[in-house]
């Protein structure tokens, strides 16, 4: 069985603040993949990143960065210098064959 | 690249109506497509895995006769909500994975979703 926990239900920040979204996962498999998706108010899901279980290097893409720590089964996501357009629901997801298991999502609200 | 088109984006219909939702991969082939359901302020729950040329695989608790899935080609899967009732109102979203080697864990590309409202 696999499980993804996003303990933060909602986060509200003021523009330009940094925000970190936590994701903790459970799986018995040694090979697995972790994802982050963004769901803006319009509803579509936007793929942000995929990381396999053998690659623990942190990644930075513009204002987005991800910290993968296998020792704590965490794959956290940080938005630096947040903007109003970052307001959305962010989902962390886990796949160990081909099915995705999503976390409950974290709603991020960035106030101007 | 990797665009998934889902149609219609919004449906309002009377109770008892059957509603068909289409999911198309526009620029790639997809042996496998996935159908999810999302209630307001909740996560996405996988309903079924749609396999081209064979029967869909349904998740536990999902009624096969209520949610009919057909995957007739490598670029099209359809979900038909039969005899829909108000409790079927939800956001339905499909995804498709590029047709590479099995279990390659290519990222799933999502359609924009269909908001279904049954009156």
């Amino acid at each position: 069985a696999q499980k993804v926990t996003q303990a933060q239900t909602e986060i509200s920040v003021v523009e330009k603040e940094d925000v970190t979204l936590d994701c903790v996962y459970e799986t018995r498999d040694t090979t697995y993949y972790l994802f982050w998706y963004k769901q803006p108010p319009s509803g579509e899901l936007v793929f942000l990143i995929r990381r396999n279980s053998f690659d623990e290097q942190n990644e930075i893409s513009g204002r987005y960065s991800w910290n993968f720590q296998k020792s704590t089964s965490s794959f956290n996501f940080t938005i630096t210098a947040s903007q109003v357009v970052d307001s959305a629901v962010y989902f962390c997801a886990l796949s160990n064959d081909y099915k995705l298991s999503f976390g409950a999502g974290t709603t991020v609200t960035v106030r101007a | 690249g990797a665009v998934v088109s889902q149609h219609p984006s919004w449906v309002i219909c009377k109770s008892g109506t059957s509603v068909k939702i289409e999911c198309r991969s526009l620029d790639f082939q997809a042996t496998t497509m996935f159908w999810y359901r999302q209630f307001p302020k909740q996560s996405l729950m996988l309903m079924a895995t749609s396999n081209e040329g064979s029967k869909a695989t349904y998740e536990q608790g999902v009624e096969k006769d209520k949610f009919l899935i057909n995957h007739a080609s490598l670029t099209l899967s359809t979900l038909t909500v039969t005899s829909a009732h108000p409790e079927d109102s939800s956001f339905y979203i499909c995804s498709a994975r590029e047709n590479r080697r099995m279990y390659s864990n290519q990222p799933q590309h999502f359609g924009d979703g269909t908001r279904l409202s049954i009156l």
Side-chain angles (χ1 to χ4, degrees):
Chain A
Q2 51 190 20
K3 183 180 177 182
V4 177
T5 302
Q6 293 179 257
Q8 304 149 304
T9 305
E10 295 185 23
I11 299 176
S12 182
V13 297
V14 176
E15 215 170 12
K16 296 185 184 177
E17 286 184 358
D18 296 348
V19 57
T20 295
L21 310 180
D22 298 332
C23 174
V24 175
Y25 61 92
E26 295 175 31
T27 180
R28 293 181 180 176
D29 292 276
T30 54
T31 302
Y32 53 89
Y33 292 78
L34 295 162
F35 301 80
W36 275 95
Y37 287 89
K38 173 183 179 180
Q39 188 177 41
S42 49
E44 74 275 16
L45 273 179
V46 179
F47 166 76
L48 297 178
I49 190 171
R50 178 183 61 151
R51 175 68 67 194
N52 75 55
S53 53
F54 299 107
D55 182 2
E56 288 192 70
Q57 273 195 330
N58 293 328
E59 182 158 339
I60 298 175
S61 176
R63 296 185 296 107
Y64 295 169
S65 62
W66 292 270
N67 182 287
F68 176 26
Q69 295 206 351
K70 217 167 172 179
S71 59
T72 56
S73 298
S74 66
F75 186 42
N76 297 338
F77 171 35
T78 298
I79 303 173
T80 303
S82 61
Q83 300 175 2
V84 173
V85 293
D86 295 326
S87 296
V89 181
Y90 291 86
F91 291 99
C92 181
L94 168 69
S95 172
N96 57 4
D97 47 21
Y98 63 93
K99 290 197 290 187
L100 276 174
S101 295
F102 284 87
T106 299
T107 301
V108 173
T109 302
V110 181
R111 308 186 308 276
Chain B
V3 176
V4 175
S5 173
Q6 189 172 340
H7 178 81
S9 56
W10 199 2
V11 180
I12 301 175
C13 58
K14 294 181 180 180
S15 186
T17 307
S18 292
V19 179
K20 180 186 283 189
I21 303 169
E22 292 187 350
C23 181
R24 294 180 184 274
S25 56
L26 296 186
D27 51 1
F28 65 97
Q29 293 185 331
T31 305
T32 305
M33 292 185 176
F34 303 87
W35 288 96
Y36 296 84
R37 183 174 183 176
Q38 185 180 30
F39 290 106
K41 298 188 184 300
Q42 292 190 25
S43 189
L44 283 77
M45 299 301 297
L46 180 65
M47 298 174 65
T49 302
S50 173
N51 304 297
E52 187 268 336
S54 65
K55 292 183 179 180
T57 304
Y58 290 82
E59 295 300 301
Q60 192 172 8
V62 177
E63 298 177 61
K64 300 177 183 180
D65 296 332
K66 160 68 77 174
F67 300 102
L68 300 180
I69 291 174
N70 183 278
H71 194 151
S73 77
L74 286 171
T75 59
L76 173 64
S77 174
T78 60
L79 168 67
T80 301
V81 184
T82 61
S83 188
H85 288 95
E87 58 267 28
D88 298 323
S89 298
S90 189
F91 186 61
Y92 293 87
I93 189 164
C94 73
S95 72
R97 199 176 59 193
E98 294 184 56
N99 199 31
R100 301 189 191 181
R101 69 180 189 278
M102 204 172 184
Y103 306 128
S104 67
N105 272 291
Q106 292 298 315
Q108 292 181 26
H109 302 284
F110 287 82
D112 287 347
T114 298
R115 296 191 187 279
L116 176 62
S117 296
I118 308 298
L119 304 177

